[in-house]
């Protein structure tokens, strides 16, 4: 496992470049950092092996794909059913993100639906899962700032 203290300025620069565009060619990164492409490749492999870089993905617009109702759903669940509920939700196609949380709610799920009727049906189905105490959906009306892969202060 690689820790923040194990990373130097060149490692952080590579991470920032890839976070802004994961398709940036290694040769471009090497040129920008003034090191060889072999050195960049080795550093990226080290960051991947160390769990700093966990994958590469594409960010998509739910609405452009026909998902016009997106909600973050805060879920309160009986403690003895927490992992059963989380496991069930993790396997549902409409759940795009799932996390265990502290505080008033035990689970946070991001749910994509094609419209408000479909979202209502999904929420109704979730509410019927054994162990669910309550659902508190936060329906996204507009996105002001898109998700970033890194905080700007890194």
């Amino acid at each position: 496992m690689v820790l923040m203290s194990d990373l130097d300025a060149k490692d952080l620069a590579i991470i920032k470049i890839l976070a802004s565009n994961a398709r940036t060619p290694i040769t471009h990164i090497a040129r920008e950092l003034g090191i060889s492409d072999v050195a960049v490749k080795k550093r990226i492999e080290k960051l991947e092996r160390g769990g700093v870089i966990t994958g590469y993905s594409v960010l998509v617009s739910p609405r452009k794909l026909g998902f016009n109702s997106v909600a973050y759903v805060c879920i309160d669940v009986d403690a003895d059913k927490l992992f059963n509920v989380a496991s069930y939700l993790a396997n549902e196609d409409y759940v795009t993100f799932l996390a265990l949380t502290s505080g008033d709610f035990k689970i946070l799920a991001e749910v994509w639906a094609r419209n408000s009727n479909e979202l209502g049906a999904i929420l109704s189905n979730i509410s019927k899962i054994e162990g669910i105490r309550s659902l508190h959906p936060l329906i996204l009306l507009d996105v002001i700032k898109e998700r970033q892969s890194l905080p700007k202060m890194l």
Side-chain angles (χ1 to χ4, degrees):
M1 179 204 261
V2 176
L3 302 174
M4 181 68 179
S5 59
D6 298 329
L7 304 177
D8 65 15
K10 290 196 184 331
D11 291 328
L12 291 174
I14 290 168
I15 293 166
K16 288 178 185 179
I17 291 167
L18 291 174
S20 69
N21 182 357
R23 295 179 59 184
T24 304
I26 289 175
T27 54
H28 176 81
I29 298 170
R31 193 170 35 254
E32 192 168 318
L33 298 181
I35 60 178
S36 73
D37 55 345
V38 172
V40 171
K41 186 169 177 21
K42 286 183 179 182
R43 284 174 177 269
I44 291 172
E45 288 170 352
K46 177 189 80 169
L47 294 167
E48 290 170 344
R49 275 193 317 274
V52 175
I53 295 175
T54 59
Y56 302 87
S57 63
V58 174
L59 299 177
V60 298
S61 167
R63 284 198 166 95
K64 299 273 184 175
L65 295 174
F67 294 95
N68 295 306
S69 293
V70 176
Y72 288 100
V73 184
C74 303
I75 304 169
D76 191 20
V77 59
D78 294 329
D80 63 327
K81 301 291 184 191
L82 177 65
F83 295 108
N84 291 344
V85 171
S87 177
Y88 177 87
L89 291 172
N91 289 305
E92 290 300 309
D93 291 341
Y94 53 77
V95 175
T96 61
F97 172 83
L98 188 69
L100 301 180
T101 63
S102 63
D104 294 337
F105 309 106
K106 304 299 180 231
I107 297 175
L108 175 65
E110 181 177 333
V111 172
W112 289 18
R114 298 213 180 270
N115 54 51
S116 58
N117 289 336
E118 184 178 74
L119 180 60
I122 289 169
L123 294 174
S124 178
N125 288 339
I126 291 173
S127 70
K128 295 173 185 169
I129 299 170
E130 184 182 356
I132 297 285
R133 289 185 185 173
S134 63
L135 301 181
H136 302 270
L138 308 167
I139 299 168
L140 301 187
L141 302 176
D142 196 11
V143 176
I144 306 304
K145 182 177 183 179
E146 290 292 340
R147 179 176 293 146
Q148 299 173 209
S149 57
L150 287 178
K152 295 280 186 203
M153 66 255 200
L154 182 65

